[in-house]
């Protein structure tokens, strides 16, 4: 890990001249130096070996005490300058001012196989951006971030990654449900990895403060390393930059909708400039298909970040980014055009993605209607999204509607609702669907094979993560490893893990951590 010497971020961007670790407003700087807090009794719980390999970190080194010390913040790698990034953000639709890495400390950059990776310790203690909080993270939220970021990667969803999950040996005080009941929990650190942790809010902060000089420096830096194909530092390249960020954001959200992932806190400080899923907090997975669902208790009332609203919020956030870049471009029209195109492109990409999910690989003008009807009927029987789409691939062209319903029925949470008009609606839907499938040139086997590449068999259901957390809390980390292994091949049949291909058990319906989560982490 001594290759952490390449440090473009700290070398090329302005540094906060104050070096004390005191909370403050940091002006005209992209980062502040910050040293991770010493941990009292660190313990490595899990290492993502594939991620380590990608970084060029050897198995031998992972086994050393030095590795443990580095990923838990006790050892600062020679010549590296750990730091926290300055950013702002719109939270729940309102400008929140300076936020920044309040509990994430960047170790530096590794370049391996021409790919730049930033390493960051989440939960490593206070920084100038910690505001009123402690800079720490607890085991439950760390297990969730660790498992989910890797699971998303294997699902093919653009995401930040994780290298390791550790306990700090320290206790952390949290009010998990925000109901006045504080309790100590085990402290933990995830070593996160990403080509960049820059967010929309990284740019917004300078624009809001009218510090266009730093804004320009940061945009030029981003272009140099992440959009090198764009012409250098001109208005035209800034417009193109915005266009590409828009496209990447759209692609990411299409993937979220495809796998049923609900981010939960799509504030602009949680949207990556590279279109990566970032900051796994009170996220969740759709179980019963429901566009109105949000996992985040803080958002219970307005449901701003509900599943069905993610594309709109993506666009809303892009508007904020466009506003931030405007001072460098001084022409609203091209930005507005890009934002307009997002709407059209989203519609087209969504249709394409949904066609693939139901196994239609040619186009028909009535497909939108067919898919809309499906989204309605899925909710009538409270249908498990993951199970439904996977079981749909087992249907044959020549099945009767009744036979098709029997095949997908295990995905219903309320099979008793399958009567009267609901039954008729399902029968009608399958009659239309089967007719449509009969016009496809693919055989049943070929269609199934293609469908199974876009419809995962296994996702990190909310209750699964909670089971792993409950065991880990008792000192048993086996389920973390089991889920990690399972989710490395989410599209494959894994007979020994068939127990995870099932609906959420009833006990988990309203259990904390299994259905709704607070931001407390
Ligand atoms: P989030 O909604 O988790 O993305 O966090 C929003 C902001 O709060 C970011 O600036 C975080 O760094 C900060 N934050 C969240 N939790 C903590 C914590 N325990 N200590 C310090 N800062 C925190
Ligand atoms: Mg965040």
């Amino acid at each position: 890990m001594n290759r952490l010497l390449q440090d473009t971020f700290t070398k090329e961007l302005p540094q906060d001249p104050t070096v004390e670790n005191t909370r403050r407003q940091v002006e005209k700087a992209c980062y502040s130096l910050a040293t991770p807090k010493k941990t009292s009794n660190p313990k490595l719980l899990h290492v993502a070996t594939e991620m380590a390999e990608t970084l060029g970190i050897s198995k031998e080194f992972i086994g050393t005490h030095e590795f443990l010390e580095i990923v838990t913040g006790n050892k600062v790698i020679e010549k590296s300058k750990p730091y926290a990034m300055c950013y702002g953000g719109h939270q729940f639709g309102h400008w929140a001012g300076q936020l920044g890495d309040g509990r994430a400390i960047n170790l530096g950059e590794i370049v391996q196989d021409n790919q730049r990776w930033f390493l960051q310790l989440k939960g490593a203690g206070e920084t100038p951006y910690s505001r009123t909080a402690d800079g720490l993270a607890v085991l439950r939220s760390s297990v969730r971030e660790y498992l989910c970021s890797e699971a998303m990667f294997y699902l093919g969803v653009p995401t930040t990654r994780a290298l390791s999950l550790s306990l700090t040996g320290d206790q952390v005080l949290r009010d998990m449900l925000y109901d006045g009941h504080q309790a100590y929990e085990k402290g933990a650190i995830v070593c996160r990895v990403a080509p960049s942790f820059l967010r929309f809010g990284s740019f917004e902060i300078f624009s809001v403060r009218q510090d266009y000089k730093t804004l320009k420096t940061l945009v030029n830096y981003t272009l140099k390393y992440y959009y090198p194909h764009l012409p250098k530092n001109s208005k035209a390249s800034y417009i193109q930059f915005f266009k590409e960020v828009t496209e990447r954001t759209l692609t990411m959200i299409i993937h979220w909708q495809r796998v049923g992932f609900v981010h939960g806190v799509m504030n602009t400080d949680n949207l990556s400039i590279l279109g990566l899923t970032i900051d796994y907090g009170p996220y969740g997975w759709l179980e019963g298909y429901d566009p109105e669902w949000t996992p985040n208790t803080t958002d219970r009332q307005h449901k701003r970040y509900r599943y069905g609203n993610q594309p709109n919020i993506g666009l809303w956030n892009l508007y904020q980014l466009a506003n931030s870049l405007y001072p460098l471009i001084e022409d609203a029209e091209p930005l507005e055009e890009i934002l307009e195109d997002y709407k059209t492109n989203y519609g087209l990409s969504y249709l394409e993605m949904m066609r693939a999910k139901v196994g239609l690989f040619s186009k028909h003008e009535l497909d939108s209607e067919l898919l809309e009807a499906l989204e309605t009927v899925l909710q009538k029987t409270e249908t498990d999204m993951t199970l439904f789409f996977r079981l749909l691939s087992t249907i044959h062209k020549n099945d009767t509607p009744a036979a098709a319903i029997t095949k997908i029925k295990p995905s219903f949470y309320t099979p008793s609702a399958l009567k009267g008009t609901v039954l008729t609606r399902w029968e009608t839907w399958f009659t239309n669907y089967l007719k449509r499938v009969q016009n496809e040139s693919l055989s049943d086997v070929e269609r199934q094979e293609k469908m199974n590449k876009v419809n995962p068999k296994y996702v990190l259901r909310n209750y699964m993560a909670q089971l792993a957390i409950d065991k880990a809390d008792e000192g048993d980390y086996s389920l973390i490893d089991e889920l990690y292994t399972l989710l490395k091949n989410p599209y494959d049949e894994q007979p020994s893990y068939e127990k995870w291909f099932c609906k959420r058990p009833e006990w988990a319906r309203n259990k904390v951590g299994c259905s709704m989560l607070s931001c407390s982490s």
Side-chain angles (χ1 to χ4, degrees):
M1 280 172 91
N2 288 339
R3 286 166 301 121
L4 272 175
L5 295 180
Q6 285 231 13
D7 220 342
T8 60
F9 198 90
T10 51
K11 287 207 177 98
E12 297 180 30
L13 294 170
Q15 179 183 318
D16 170 13
T18 309
V19 290
E20 284 109 66
N21 199 350
T22 50
R23 289 148 164 90
R24 57 183 177 270
Q25 290 295 307
V26 173
E27 306 271 345
K28 297 194 167 76
C30 292
Y31 68 96
S32 309
L33 296 180
T35 310
K37 186 182 176 210
K38 292 261 182 285
T39 48
S40 67
N41 188 18
K43 184 183 159 100
L44 203 53
L45 300 188
H46 206 272
V47 175
T49 36
E50 292 76 10
M51 184 71 248
E53 255 169 54
T54 306
L55 291 169
I57 300 174
S58 69
K59 278 204 176 75
E60 292 69 43
F61 188 63
I62 289 171
T64 64
H65 187 63
E66 192 184 357
F67 179 77
L68 168 71
E69 294 276 273
I70 292 172
V71 296
T72 52
N74 277 350
K75 182 181 173 189
V76 172
I77 300 164
E78 224 180 296
K79 292 189 193 159
S80 85
K81 292 199 296 183
Y83 61 95
M85 299 202 295
C86 178
Y87 55 79
H90 277 85
Q91 297 186 316
F92 297 94
H94 304 283
W95 176 244
Q98 178 181 299
L99 298 166
D101 287 335
R103 57 157 163 188
I105 297 187
N106 300 276
L107 300 182
E109 303 160 35
I110 286 182
V111 177
Q112 179 74 8
D113 301 329
N114 287 323
Q115 167 70 58
R116 184 171 304 277
W117 296 101
F118 285 74
L119 269 67
Q120 179 181 91
L121 303 183
K122 186 164 175 179
E126 291 169 40
T127 77
Y129 309 98
S130 298
R131 298 179 291 156
T132 56
D134 56 11
L136 304 174
V138 293
L139 180 60
R140 64 186 150 81
S141 63
S142 305
V143 169
R144 284 170 49 82
E145 171 135 26
Y146 179 79
L147 284 177
C148 199
S149 48
E150 287 304 281
M152 290 283 267
F153 169 73
Y154 291 106
L155 281 166
V157 184
T159 178
T160 62
R161 305 281 306 271
L163 172 64
S164 63
L165 168 71
S166 313
L167 281 174
T168 60
D170 302 312
Q171 296 284 90
V172 176
L173 196 59
R174 284 287 181 273
D175 182 355
M176 187 167 85
L177 300 176
Y178 294 139
D179 62 357
H181 293 90
Q182 291 198 331
Y184 280 103
E185 298 186 45
K186 291 179 184 171
I189 293 180
V190 173
C191 179
R192 303 202 292 187
V193 185
S196 171
F197 286 101
L198 285 169
R199 303 120 196 281
F200 288 11
S202 309
F203 300 84
E204 283 179 282
I205 185 112
F206 300 116
S207 202
V208 168
R209 290 173 168 171
Q210 301 186 352
D211 175 4
Y212 304 137
K213 184 170 170 247
T214 314
L215 174 68
K216 197 168 191 172
T217 309
L218 183 63
V219 171
N220 287 344
Y221 170 87
T222 311
L223 258 59
K224 177 175 167 189
Y225 288 103
Y226 304 103
Y227 298 86
H229 50 285
L230 299 182
K232 288 231 171 341
N233 316 346
S234 66
K235 287 191 181 185
S237 60
Y238 299 149
I239 294 167
Q240 191 59 24
F241 164 55
F242 180 67
K243 186 166 187 273
E244 294 194 19
V245 178
T246 303
E247 287 164 358
R248 288 188 190 201
T249 306
L250 187 152
T251 303
M252 172 185 77
I253 296 176
I254 289 281
H255 278 292
W256 289 358
Q257 305 307 98
R258 172 174 67 83
V259 298
F261 175 80
V262 189
H263 183 284
V265 209
M266 288 177 74
N267 294 330
T268 57
D269 52 307
N270 291 338
L271 256 87
S272 144
I273 203 69
L274 301 184
L276 306 170
T277 313
I278 189 172
D279 281 9
Y280 291 85
Y283 68 82
W285 294 82
L286 273 197
E287 287 175 315
Y289 182 86
D290 178 6
E292 296 299 304
W293 186 71
T294 173
N296 185 353
T297 49
T298 315
D299 195 22
R300 191 174 5 205
Q301 206 186 349
H302 300 295
K303 299 192 181 209
R304 179 179 171 85
Y305 298 140
R306 62 191 184 274
Y307 173 70
N309 207 30
Q310 296 191 122
N312 291 333
I313 293 294
L315 180 61
W316 192 92
N317 287 346
L318 285 160
Y319 265 96
Q320 310 316 312
L321 181 64
N323 280 334
S324 304
L325 297 177
Y326 175 79
L328 305 185
I329 297 166
E330 292 172 315
D331 182 4
E333 215 181 293
L335 296 173
E336 279 162 5
E337 228 168 78
I338 294 166
L339 291 163
E340 269 309 303
D341 284 350
Y342 174 98
K343 294 183 206 163
T344 323
N345 293 341
Y346 183 81
L348 294 171
S349 305
Y350 183 76
L351 177 59
E352 211 48 42
M353 180 275 285
M354 286 303 290
R355 269 202 188 106
K357 275 185 87 66
V358 299
L360 301 176
F361 297 97
S362 64
K363 290 180 185 167
H364 189 283
E365 56 183 0
L366 293 179
D367 287 348
S368 298
E369 225 170 88
L370 183 72
L371 289 164
E372 270 166 38
L374 173 62
E375 288 180 36
T376 310
V377 75
L378 280 172
Q379 293 171 67
K380 301 280 175 201
T381 38
E382 200 190 355
T383 314
D384 188 272
M385 179 173 175
T386 306
L387 250 60
F388 173 80
F389 285 102
R390 195 73 186 190
L391 292 173
L392 192 68
S393 74
T394 63
I395 285 168
H396 296 155
K397 281 182 184 182
N398 296 325
D399 279 344
T400 59
I405 291 173
T406 306
K407 284 185 177 171
I408 54 99
K409 212 172 160 184
S411 63
F412 294 164
Y413 283 94
T414 49
S416 57
L418 192 67
K419 57 181 182 218
T421 51
V422 175
L423 178 60
T424 315
R425 286 184 87 145
W426 268 113
E427 283 167 345
T428 310
W429 190 79
F430 268 114
T431 305
N432 294 332
Y433 173 68
L434 288 163
K435 251 191 241 156
R436 178 68 181 83
V437 167
Q438 280 155 15
N439 287 333
E440 288 278 295
S441 56
L442 296 178
S443 71
D444 287 332
V445 173
E446 288 166 336
R447 190 176 62 260
Q448 177 168 38
E449 210 173 277
K450 287 188 92 161
M451 286 173 80
N452 286 353
K453 286 186 180 145
V454 292
N455 295 318
K457 173 143 182 168
Y458 307 103
V459 295
L460 184 62
R461 291 171 183 275
N462 314 309
Y463 86 92
M464 289 161 68
Q466 190 57 40
L467 288 176
I469 292 164
D470 289 344
K471 276 201 166 181
D473 224 11
E474 292 162 9
D476 176 353
Y477 309 110
S478 57
L479 198 48
I480 295 177
D481 187 57
E482 179 172 335
L483 295 182
Y484 174 84
T485 309
L486 167 78
L487 296 168
K488 268 198 304 196
N489 296 296
Y491 299 100
D492 293 355
E493 298 293 322
Q494 299 184 59
S496 58
Y497 288 134
E498 197 64 19
K499 66 174 180 206
W500 298 119
F501 182 61
C502 70
K503 284 179 292 206
R504 170 200 59 214
E506 268 317 297
W507 60 259
R509 186 179 277 274
N510 296 311
K511 190 175 180 291
V512 173
C514 298
S515 55
M516 295 280 275
L517 297 115
S518 76
C519 287
S520 158
S521 55

